[in-house]
Amino acid sequence: MVRLAALITFLTCLVLSGAQHEPGYCAFYEECGRNPSLGDTLITPIVPCLDYSRARPVTGEHYKRLKEVCPILDRGENNTYACCSIKQLSSLATSLTLSKAVLVRCPNCAENFAHLHCINTCSPNQSQSVNVTKVMNVTTLGKTREAVVGYQAYLTTNFADASFQSCKNVRIPTTGGFAIATMCGRYGAKLCTAQRWYDFQGDSSNGLAPLDIDFKLMKEGDTAGLPEGVIPYNGRALKCNETTPSGGQVCSCQDCQESCPNVPPIPLPPGPFRLLGTDGFLVISIILFCLLIFAFLFFLYVSCLVRYKKRKNEERWKGKGKGKDQNSNDVSQQVIDPSEVTCADRNSLAAQAFLSSLFQEWGTLMATYPLTVLLVSAVVVAGFAAGLMSLQLTTDPVELWSAPNSRARQEKDFHDTHFDPFFRTNQLILTAPERKGHVYDSLLFGPQNFSGIVSKDLIIELLELQKRIQNIEFWSEDLNRTASLKDVCFAPLNPSNPSLTDCAVNSMPQYFQNSLDNINAKVNMTELGVTKEVDWRDHLIYCLGSPLSFKDITDLGMSCMADYGAPVFSFLAVGGYENDDYTNAEALILTFSLNNYARNNTKFKVAMQWETEFLKIVQEYERNPAANFTFAYMAERSLEDEINRTTAEDIPIFMISYAVIFLYIAVALGEYSSWKRILVDSKFLVGLGGILVVGCSVLASMGFYAWIGIPSSLVILQVVPFLVLAVGADNIFIFVLEYQRDVRRPGEKREEQIGRVLGNVAPSMLLCSLSESVCFFLGALSTMPAVKSFALYAALAVLVDFILQMTAFVALLSLDTRRQDRNRCELLCCVTVSSQRPNKPNEGFLLPIMRKYYAPALLNRYTRIIVMLGFLFMFCASLFLMFNVTVGLDQELAMPQGSYMLNYFKYLYKYFEVGVPVYFVTKRGFNFTTVDGMNAVCSSVGCDQFSLTQKIQYATNYPDQSYLAIPSNSWVDDFIDWLNPGSRCCRLYTIGPNAGKFCPADKSPFLCGRKCMATPPDGVLRPTVEQFNHFLPNFLGNRPDLKCPKGGLGAYDTAVVKDANGEIIASRFMAYHTPLTNSQQFTAALLKARELAHNITMGMREVPGTSPDFEVFPYTVTNVFYEQYLTIVPEGLFNISLCLLPTFVVCCLLLGLDLLSGLLNLFTIIMIVVDTVGVMTLWSIDYNAVALINLVTAVGISVEFVSHMTRSFALSTKPTHVERAMEATANMGSAVFAGVAMTNLPGILVLAFAKAQLIQIFFFRLNLIITLLGMAHGLIFLPVLLSYFGPGVNKAVLLQLQQAKAKELEMRNNMRQVYDNMSYDDNEIKQDAESNSTKAPQTQEKEEKIDRF
């Protein structure tokens, strides 16, 4: 038998080698039956019979069929010969139909593709270009014939290369990829060549080719190895940018680069601002610094000259011997004449007198009835706080950071209303860093590198984990039954009633349809005489390069499509690869996609429950020591969960922070004169009362806004109490310390003393509180919801805090003073001490230090110059740094340290090779049904060169500038291709009850013999309006398969929205961004996408019939978070400017229109804000909405550091600026230091231990910067600034003091005169000589009394 088989083989080869190659002869003819050498295939492999004979004349139906399938061979009905029968033409047409489905977008490509196969199958000179190499006996209907199962096809490289060039850029609109990628086997689009393209077409293992064709590409004139008589086919292949012989138009730019117009490249973004060849902002900052230094030094020079002349004048007066006038005034001092007092001075004095008297009377009243005041205050606060029962806490990031009327929010609402919201992503990114890779010598693909993670055992382990997650079941209260993945999963091809296998799960096991048997499959395969085993690795190599294939090219014959019917693109299955070396990837990706329901939908809770179960399984697997993966994971709910978790975990940190602040206040407010009275003079309850006042003001504010329906947020809960505590503690310290430093006047009641002290300090407290409150109320004009609500809550809280301080705290201090006067211990009120309270002012330890050491050292002549130079340098340097601050907030900063999401972000940025999807959404007002409308959108033959999809394609040519990586899909393009009669997608039933209705591609041609549309003569197919509206629903509901890959179900069924009248009111086209890793890139991508969408909008509005308000906008799920960074700089400048305005206006008004004090106050606060932003740059704190809230807070806290000092200086009557600055620094500086700086610092330092990075960066770091800079400017820079540029002494106050002193002297003189008269009368009446001896002592005693008066 072996010898017989060898003989048969020898004779067969002898016959084949003896075949002749002559013009007009066929090598094979007619169909012999099924190829016996092939197993399961995608289409039936019918092979021709070996038949060396003359070409047959073609007439009648045969001719019509030939002209329809292979018009290139038409020579007229009576002059046409061919080597194929009608059956062969039908089989060829079926085969070509499958390819034309993806190539028909470019008619030239489709014709070139058909050209070659028509020559091989039907050419009358077939034997000249075809050399049969393999035949087999085929028995059909009892008749055995020799069938051709392999042949060589010779063609020139000119024809082959031209054909390949016409097809290599043809796109698949559904995916944005190249059609050639599905027709070049393992090589994909990037490595595909003409030879590899033809090799794939002739490879019967691909499931499409019925026999093996060995394409031999020969250079023209090269005869080496060419069989005798064979002439390589050298027909003319059409270029993609030329019209077809039948009049068809050139291919579009998207499918043919040669057809593209000269599109100018995207202009480069503007470079950094430069001056004199260096950083422009640095140059400006240096120039500004030089100007400020020059102005300051010039001021010093002028001041020295003025002082020198003044000193000369004083010496001249002293030389004349003049010392004091009749009123005992130093003549060297200025004597104020009433005419010298300006209106501003009188207004300032009147304002201070009015406010002082008003608050004095108010304070006396509150101190007189303390219990009543406390009761009324508690009732009012309780009434406001009752609103907390209806408090709404906003945790949705979209609601927090995106204004309802913002563009991104409106676009999101439009998208989510008309389309399903972007699906919920639950994902694992898995690595195996310890696993070593290997090199696999593939029979088909040659040596291939396989990384350690791309191994069979790990793929199986991933499959087991995937199935475990897919089989999640749980009880749902909302559904009142057991729920599973299929209840909430995204099922693109069966959305109405999905099963588990319909759910979109993207992973590497999907290339094996999640089948363990497929992963373990292996088979021996022979290729080019070499027999080797092929297994999962060969299948995987092929599928990673050709994910759209329904059958690989190995003898395994497995599909690459996922079990849910869609392709799994390589970038969704593997990550961390270079140059499409997929098998050498560093990571595997497993993604479960769920439908994104509205929060008020019951399915939303079900999806959240499923994600909770998903996290449980993943975290359990992570703890399993047997797991071979190192991985990161996330669920859609993870961001919100982690933010809420860290907030709850950091609550104890905030509580400790408040406790530290309370402890400090309680200790610092006490006056400690002796150990015996320490329990009497402590202010523990007063400190607690001050804290309660702050807490009540916050509760009242929150309750009030809860009453009127303004929601709160976690930011408000964290920031507002700190802010109000800083403001409130400062006022408390100023009030209590002023009271302790005061001595009760003879005959003055305790309540009157409290009222008088309040009258002295309350105007300053009013100045700061009113400035801050108005500042925050104006800050509520912000468009950011979080900033707006924070400003409203803070403004009211500060206002209520001031009111409670003027009422409840005054009453509380009155009660505490009563206790202290009775020598009762604070916590043990029944216990008294014998030691009496000293009747002298208690300055504490800080005031003497500030007066004796700090103020003189600070206001030394040389120190002042150093301070001015240092702070001006800091200001200019910070101004430069401010222009270099990073704008944005990376989402990982919202996560606590140690969060699993931080690891996920790290893996995401490292391993993902493509960015987020971006949809270009069209609104109502554009007519897609007209020819002009379709041409303005599509990108295939006949479309406008600057259509919607074509412009997106142009942008992807510059990914570094446009941030677009993959062109958009296009339902218009695929709909037109679906309608094309060259494919079998759109057909109509011709018989049966459904006659005239749409017939799916999987139905028999005998039932559906009619095409939806006729072939257009110019190759540009466009449906009429009626056809468009009639067939569009069929297209959108057609499930794609091998016979019709253009079906719209899954890809486009939710991409087109019609109203009741059938008008398209919304549609979308999906592209992909490049990988975006930080907020700056997300913001830039948003800006570029909007610029492109605007350009598209302007172009489409020019189409006749388009509404003038028609619009195209880009939508990405992240836009609502990153849009704020497009405007946050001007928004921040606006908000901070609004906050600065009241600090100036209120200061001027309450100081009696003292413009100079207001300007110095404003300038110092501006310096604090600028320096804060500068230090933010140095400490890597990004500028964003959270930072903006803190900067607004910085303005409020700066008011506390600055305004008290400014007012104290303005009201001082010391003769020189330096002395007045010393007095203000000592008296008010000590209170500010104790009340603001030392109140904030301990609490801020505790926040360094918080887990949340947001709290560490934006609450610890930033608040520490604000407090330190505020303290430095308020206690160092401002006193020096006032000593140089502060306003002069208020002449109205000097005149008042001068007049009071004169009046006092006049009264003393009058009293002396009265006494002298009384003494004269006594001498007249009394004559006794003994009385004269007592007169002198009595007179001396009365004179002393007068002097004391």
Short mmCIF file of all heavy atoms in Angstrom, two decimals, residues 304-351:
data_model
loop_
_atom_site.label_atom_id
_atom_site.label_comp_id
_atom_site.label_asym_id
_atom_site.label_seq_id
_atom_site.Cartn_x
_atom_site.Cartn_y
_atom_site.Cartn_z
N CYS A 304 14.87 111.20 55.70
CA CYS A 304 16.05 111.67 56.45
C CYS A 304 16.21 113.18 56.32
O CYS A 304 16.53 113.88 57.30
CB CYS A 304 17.30 110.95 55.95
SG CYS A 304 17.38 109.22 56.43
N LEU A 305 16.00 113.69 55.11
CA LEU A 305 16.09 115.13 54.92
C LEU A 305 15.05 115.86 55.74
O LEU A 305 15.35 116.87 56.40
CB LEU A 305 15.91 115.47 53.43
CG LEU A 305 17.07 115.13 52.50
CD1 LEU A 305 16.72 115.52 51.07
CD2 LEU A 305 18.34 115.87 52.94
N VAL A 306 13.83 115.38 55.76
CA VAL A 306 12.77 116.04 56.51
C VAL A 306 13.07 115.99 58.00
O VAL A 306 12.90 117.00 58.73
CB VAL A 306 11.42 115.35 56.21
CG1 VAL A 306 10.33 115.89 57.14
CG2 VAL A 306 11.04 115.58 54.76
N ARG A 307 13.54 114.84 58.48
CA ARG A 307 13.86 114.71 59.90
C ARG A 307 15.02 115.63 60.30
O ARG A 307 15.04 116.20 61.38
CB ARG A 307 14.21 113.26 60.23
CG ARG A 307 13.06 112.50 60.86
CD ARG A 307 13.50 111.23 61.56
NE ARG A 307 14.43 110.44 60.79
CZ ARG A 307 14.08 109.51 59.91
NH1 ARG A 307 12.79 109.30 59.68
NH2 ARG A 307 14.98 108.82 59.24
N TYR A 308 15.99 115.74 59.39
CA TYR A 308 17.14 116.61 59.67
C TYR A 308 16.70 118.06 59.83
O TYR A 308 17.10 118.74 60.78
CB TYR A 308 18.15 116.48 58.54
CG TYR A 308 19.33 117.39 58.68
CD1 TYR A 308 20.36 117.12 59.60
CD2 TYR A 308 19.43 118.54 57.88
CE1 TYR A 308 21.44 117.98 59.73
CE2 TYR A 308 20.51 119.40 58.00
CZ TYR A 308 21.51 119.11 58.92
OH TYR A 308 22.58 119.96 59.05
N LYS A 309 15.85 118.54 58.94
CA LYS A 309 15.36 119.92 59.04
C LYS A 309 14.51 120.10 60.30
O LYS A 309 14.57 121.15 60.95
CB LYS A 309 14.54 120.27 57.80
CG LYS A 309 15.39 120.34 56.53
CD LYS A 309 14.53 120.74 55.33
CE LYS A 309 15.39 120.85 54.06
NZ LYS A 309 14.57 121.22 52.88
N LYS A 310 13.71 119.07 60.61
CA LYS A 310 12.86 119.18 61.80
C LYS A 310 13.70 119.26 63.06
O LYS A 310 13.41 120.02 63.99
CB LYS A 310 11.93 117.97 61.84
CG LYS A 310 10.90 118.05 62.95
CD LYS A 310 9.96 116.85 62.88
CE LYS A 310 8.92 116.94 63.99
NZ LYS A 310 7.98 115.80 63.95
N ARG A 311 14.78 118.46 63.09
CA ARG A 311 15.66 118.47 64.25
C ARG A 311 16.33 119.84 64.41
O ARG A 311 16.49 120.35 65.52
CB ARG A 311 16.72 117.38 64.11
CG ARG A 311 17.52 117.14 65.40
CD ARG A 311 18.55 116.03 65.23
NE ARG A 311 17.92 114.79 64.85
CZ ARG A 311 18.11 114.19 63.69
NH1 ARG A 311 18.91 114.75 62.79
NH2 ARG A 311 17.51 113.06 63.42
N LYS A 312 16.71 120.46 63.30
CA LYS A 312 17.30 121.80 63.34
C LYS A 312 16.33 122.81 63.93
O LYS A 312 16.70 123.66 64.74
CB LYS A 312 17.70 122.23 61.92
CG LYS A 312 18.94 121.52 61.38
CD LYS A 312 20.20 121.94 62.13
CE LYS A 312 21.44 121.35 61.51
NZ LYS A 312 22.66 121.73 62.30
N ASN A 313 15.07 122.70 63.52
CA ASN A 313 14.06 123.62 64.03
C ASN A 313 13.86 123.43 65.53
O ASN A 313 13.71 124.40 66.28
CB ASN A 313 12.74 123.43 63.30
CG ASN A 313 12.82 123.88 61.85
OD1 ASN A 313 13.64 124.75 61.51
ND2 ASN A 313 11.98 123.32 60.98
N GLU A 314 13.87 122.16 65.95
CA GLU A 314 13.68 121.90 67.38
C GLU A 314 14.85 122.45 68.19
O GLU A 314 14.66 123.01 69.28
CB GLU A 314 13.55 120.38 67.61
CG GLU A 314 12.25 119.80 67.07
CD GLU A 314 12.21 118.28 67.23
OE1 GLU A 314 13.24 117.70 67.62
OE2 GLU A 314 11.14 117.69 66.94
N GLU A 315 16.07 122.31 67.65
CA GLU A 315 17.23 122.85 68.37
C GLU A 315 17.15 124.37 68.44
O GLU A 315 17.55 124.97 69.44
CB GLU A 315 18.50 122.41 67.66
CG GLU A 315 18.79 120.92 67.79
CD GLU A 315 20.01 120.51 66.98
OE1 GLU A 315 20.55 121.39 66.26
OE2 GLU A 315 20.40 119.33 67.06
N ARG A 316 16.61 124.98 67.39
CA ARG A 316 16.49 126.43 67.39
C ARG A 316 15.51 126.88 68.48
O ARG A 316 15.73 127.86 69.17
CB ARG A 316 16.03 126.91 66.00
CG ARG A 316 16.07 128.43 65.85
CD ARG A 316 15.64 128.87 64.44
NE ARG A 316 16.40 128.19 63.41
CZ ARG A 316 15.86 127.35 62.53
NH1 ARG A 316 14.57 127.14 62.57
NH2 ARG A 316 16.62 126.75 61.63
N TRP A 317 14.38 126.14 68.64
CA TRP A 317 13.41 126.48 69.69
C TRP A 317 14.02 126.31 71.07
O TRP A 317 13.82 127.11 71.97
CB TRP A 317 12.16 125.60 69.55
CG TRP A 317 11.22 126.11 68.50
CD1 TRP A 317 11.09 125.67 67.23
CD2 TRP A 317 10.28 127.15 68.66
NE1 TRP A 317 10.15 126.38 66.58
CE2 TRP A 317 9.59 127.30 67.44
CE3 TRP A 317 9.94 128.01 69.74
CZ2 TRP A 317 8.60 128.25 67.26
CZ3 TRP A 317 8.94 128.95 69.56
CH2 TRP A 317 8.29 129.06 68.31
N LYS A 318 14.77 125.20 71.25
CA LYS A 318 15.39 124.97 72.55
C LYS A 318 16.43 126.04 72.86
O LYS A 318 16.62 126.45 74.00
CB LYS A 318 16.06 123.59 72.58
CG LYS A 318 15.06 122.46 72.59
CD LYS A 318 15.77 121.11 72.62
CE LYS A 318 14.76 119.97 72.63
NZ LYS A 318 15.43 118.65 72.63
N GLY A 319 17.09 126.52 71.84
CA GLY A 319 18.10 127.56 72.04
C GLY A 319 17.50 128.85 72.53
O GLY A 319 18.16 129.65 73.19
N LYS A 320 16.24 129.07 72.23
CA LYS A 320 15.57 130.30 72.68
C LYS A 320 15.05 130.15 74.10
O LYS A 320 14.45 131.06 74.64
CB LYS A 320 14.42 130.64 71.74
CG LYS A 320 14.90 131.03 70.35
CD LYS A 320 13.73 131.40 69.45
CE LYS A 320 14.20 131.82 68.06
NZ LYS A 320 13.09 132.19 67.17
N GLY A 321 15.22 128.94 74.65
CA GLY A 321 14.84 128.73 76.05
C GLY A 321 13.38 128.49 76.28
O GLY A 321 12.91 128.57 77.41
N LYS A 322 12.67 128.26 75.27
CA LYS A 322 11.24 128.04 75.43
C LYS A 322 11.01 126.58 75.80
O LYS A 322 11.49 125.70 75.12
CB LYS A 322 10.48 128.39 74.16
CG LYS A 322 10.56 129.89 73.85
CD LYS A 322 9.73 130.25 72.63
CE LYS A 322 9.75 131.74 72.37
NZ LYS A 322 8.97 132.13 71.20
N GLY A 323 10.26 126.37 76.86
CA GLY A 323 9.99 125.00 77.27
C GLY A 323 8.52 124.68 77.20
O GLY A 323 8.10 123.89 76.40
N LYS A 324 7.70 125.35 78.06
CA LYS A 324 6.28 125.04 78.08
C LYS A 324 5.49 126.32 78.01
O LYS A 324 5.94 127.38 78.45
CB LYS A 324 5.92 124.28 79.35
CG LYS A 324 6.54 122.88 79.42
CD LYS A 324 6.04 122.13 80.63
CE LYS A 324 6.63 120.73 80.68
NZ LYS A 324 6.12 119.96 81.85
N ASP A 325 4.29 126.23 77.48
CA ASP A 325 3.41 127.40 77.43
C ASP A 325 2.60 127.46 78.71
O ASP A 325 2.81 126.69 79.65
CB ASP A 325 2.53 127.35 76.18
CG ASP A 325 1.59 126.15 76.18
OD1 ASP A 325 1.56 125.43 77.19
OD2 ASP A 325 0.89 125.94 75.17
N GLN A 326 1.61 128.37 78.72
CA GLN A 326 0.83 128.56 79.93
C GLN A 326 -0.03 127.37 80.28
O GLN A 326 -0.48 127.21 81.41
CB GLN A 326 -0.08 129.79 79.75
CG GLN A 326 -1.03 129.65 78.57
CD GLN A 326 -1.90 130.88 78.38
OE1 GLN A 326 -1.77 131.84 79.16
NE2 GLN A 326 -2.76 130.85 77.40
N ASN A 327 -0.29 126.49 79.28
CA ASN A 327 -1.08 125.28 79.53
C ASN A 327 -0.21 124.06 79.78
O ASN A 327 -0.67 122.93 79.74
CB ASN A 327 -2.01 124.98 78.34
CG ASN A 327 -3.08 126.05 78.19
OD1 ASN A 327 -3.53 126.62 79.19
ND2 ASN A 327 -3.48 126.31 76.96
N SER A 328 1.09 124.29 80.01
CA SER A 328 2.05 123.21 80.28
C SER A 328 2.23 122.30 79.09
O SER A 328 2.61 121.14 79.23
CB SER A 328 1.61 122.39 81.51
OG SER A 328 1.58 123.19 82.65
N ASN A 329 1.91 122.73 77.85
CA ASN A 329 2.16 121.94 76.65
C ASN A 329 3.59 122.16 76.20
O ASN A 329 4.09 123.28 76.22
CB ASN A 329 1.21 122.34 75.52
CG ASN A 329 -0.22 121.96 75.81
OD1 ASN A 329 -0.49 120.88 76.31
ND2 ASN A 329 -1.15 122.88 75.52
N ASP A 330 4.23 121.05 75.76
CA ASP A 330 5.56 121.21 75.19
C ASP A 330 5.44 122.02 73.92
O ASP A 330 4.69 121.68 73.01
CB ASP A 330 6.19 119.84 74.87
CG ASP A 330 6.54 119.09 76.14
OD1 ASP A 330 6.68 119.74 77.18
OD2 ASP A 330 6.64 117.84 76.07
N VAL A 331 6.22 123.09 73.83
CA VAL A 331 6.13 123.92 72.63
C VAL A 331 6.76 123.22 71.44
O VAL A 331 6.54 123.60 70.30
CB VAL A 331 6.84 125.27 72.88
CG1 VAL A 331 6.10 126.08 73.92
CG2 VAL A 331 8.29 125.05 73.30
N SER A 332 7.59 122.17 71.78
CA SER A 332 8.16 121.42 70.67
C SER A 332 7.13 120.52 70.02
O SER A 332 7.31 120.05 68.91
CB SER A 332 9.35 120.57 71.15
OG SER A 332 8.92 119.69 72.19
N GLN A 333 6.05 120.24 70.76
CA GLN A 333 4.99 119.44 70.20
C GLN A 333 4.02 120.34 69.44
O GLN A 333 3.89 121.51 69.73
CB GLN A 333 4.24 118.69 71.30
CG GLN A 333 5.10 117.63 71.99
CD GLN A 333 4.29 116.89 73.04
OE1 GLN A 333 3.18 117.30 73.38
NE2 GLN A 333 4.87 115.82 73.56
N GLN A 334 3.34 119.69 68.48
CA GLN A 334 2.41 120.46 67.66
C GLN A 334 1.17 120.83 68.46
O GLN A 334 0.58 120.00 69.12
CB GLN A 334 2.00 119.63 66.44
CG GLN A 334 1.07 120.38 65.50
CD GLN A 334 0.67 119.54 64.31
OE1 GLN A 334 0.99 118.36 64.26
NE2 GLN A 334 -0.02 120.14 63.38
N VAL A 335 0.83 122.11 68.44
CA VAL A 335 -0.39 122.59 69.06
C VAL A 335 -1.46 122.66 67.99
O VAL A 335 -1.28 123.31 66.96
CB VAL A 335 -0.17 123.96 69.71
CG1 VAL A 335 -1.48 124.47 70.31
CG2 VAL A 335 0.92 123.88 70.76
N ILE A 336 -2.57 121.92 68.25
CA ILE A 336 -3.62 121.78 67.23
C ILE A 336 -4.59 122.94 67.33
O ILE A 336 -5.15 123.22 68.40
CB ILE A 336 -4.35 120.45 67.40
CG1 ILE A 336 -3.36 119.28 67.38
CG2 ILE A 336 -5.40 120.28 66.32
CD1 ILE A 336 -2.56 119.18 66.10
N ASP A 337 -4.78 123.58 66.23
CA ASP A 337 -5.80 124.61 66.13
C ASP A 337 -7.05 123.96 65.55
O ASP A 337 -6.95 123.11 64.66
CB ASP A 337 -5.33 125.74 65.22
CG ASP A 337 -6.30 126.90 65.21
OD1 ASP A 337 -6.20 127.76 66.08
OD2 ASP A 337 -7.17 126.90 64.29
N PRO A 338 -8.25 124.30 66.03
CA PRO A 338 -9.47 123.66 65.51
C PRO A 338 -9.61 123.75 63.99
O PRO A 338 -10.20 122.86 63.37
CB PRO A 338 -10.58 124.42 66.21
CG PRO A 338 -9.95 124.89 67.49
CD PRO A 338 -8.52 125.20 67.15
N SER A 339 -9.05 124.76 63.41
CA SER A 339 -9.17 124.89 61.95
C SER A 339 -8.32 123.86 61.21
O SER A 339 -8.53 123.60 60.03
CB SER A 339 -8.75 126.30 61.51
OG SER A 339 -7.39 126.55 61.86
N GLU A 340 -7.34 123.25 61.90
CA GLU A 340 -6.47 122.27 61.27
C GLU A 340 -7.11 120.88 61.18
O GLU A 340 -6.64 120.02 60.44
CB GLU A 340 -5.15 122.15 62.05
CG GLU A 340 -4.33 123.42 62.08
CD GLU A 340 -3.05 123.23 62.86
OE1 GLU A 340 -2.52 122.09 62.83
OE2 GLU A 340 -2.59 124.17 63.50
N VAL A 341 -8.15 120.64 61.95
CA VAL A 341 -8.79 119.32 61.97
C VAL A 341 -9.60 119.14 60.69
O VAL A 341 -10.47 119.95 60.38
CB VAL A 341 -9.70 119.17 63.21
CG1 VAL A 341 -10.38 117.82 63.19
CG2 VAL A 341 -8.88 119.36 64.48
N THR A 342 -9.29 118.09 59.99
CA THR A 342 -9.97 117.83 58.73
C THR A 342 -11.29 117.12 58.97
O THR A 342 -11.55 116.59 60.05
CB THR A 342 -9.11 116.94 57.81
OG1 THR A 342 -8.91 115.66 58.43
CG2 THR A 342 -7.75 117.58 57.55
N CYS A 343 -12.08 117.10 57.92
CA CYS A 343 -13.38 116.42 58.00
C CYS A 343 -13.18 114.93 58.23
O CYS A 343 -13.93 114.30 58.98
CB CYS A 343 -14.15 116.67 56.70
SG CYS A 343 -15.77 115.87 56.65
N ALA A 344 -12.16 114.35 57.60
CA ALA A 344 -11.89 112.91 57.78
C ALA A 344 -11.52 112.60 59.22
O ALA A 344 -11.96 111.59 59.78
CB ALA A 344 -10.76 112.47 56.83
N ASP A 345 -10.71 113.50 59.84
CA ASP A 345 -10.35 113.28 61.24
C ASP A 345 -11.58 113.35 62.13
O ASP A 345 -11.73 112.54 63.06
CB ASP A 345 -9.32 114.33 61.68
CG ASP A 345 -7.96 114.10 61.03
OD1 ASP A 345 -7.72 112.96 60.58
OD2 ASP A 345 -7.16 115.04 60.98
N ARG A 346 -12.45 114.30 61.86
CA ARG A 346 -13.66 114.42 62.68
C ARG A 346 -14.57 113.20 62.48
O ARG A 346 -15.15 112.69 63.44
CB ARG A 346 -14.41 115.72 62.33
CG ARG A 346 -13.79 116.97 62.93
CD ARG A 346 -14.74 118.15 62.82
NE ARG A 346 -14.98 118.53 61.43
CZ ARG A 346 -14.25 119.41 60.75
NH1 ARG A 346 -13.23 120.01 61.35
NH2 ARG A 346 -14.53 119.70 59.50
N ASN A 347 -14.67 112.75 61.21
CA ASN A 347 -15.49 111.56 60.94
C ASN A 347 -14.94 110.33 61.65
O ASN A 347 -15.68 109.52 62.20
CB ASN A 347 -15.56 111.29 59.44
CG ASN A 347 -16.38 112.32 58.70
OD1 ASN A 347 -17.23 112.99 59.31
ND2 ASN A 347 -16.14 112.47 57.41
N SER A 348 -13.62 110.18 61.62
CA SER A 348 -13.00 109.04 62.28
C SER A 348 -13.27 109.06 63.77
O SER A 348 -13.63 108.05 64.37
CB SER A 348 -11.49 109.04 62.01
OG SER A 348 -10.86 107.98 62.69
N LEU A 349 -13.10 110.25 64.38
CA LEU A 349 -13.35 110.37 65.81
C LEU A 349 -14.81 110.12 66.13
O LEU A 349 -15.13 109.41 67.10
CB LEU A 349 -12.94 111.77 66.29
CG LEU A 349 -13.18 112.06 67.77
CD1 LEU A 349 -12.36 111.11 68.64
CD2 LEU A 349 -12.83 113.52 68.08
N ALA A 350 -15.69 110.65 65.28
CA ALA A 350 -17.12 110.46 65.53
C ALA A 350 -17.50 108.99 65.40
O ALA A 350 -18.28 108.47 66.19
CB ALA A 350 -17.93 111.30 64.54
N ALA A 351 -16.93 108.32 64.40
CA ALA A 351 -17.24 106.89 64.21
C ALA A 351 -16.78 106.08 65.39
O ALA A 351 -17.50 105.22 65.91
CB ALA A 351 -16.58 106.39 62.91
#
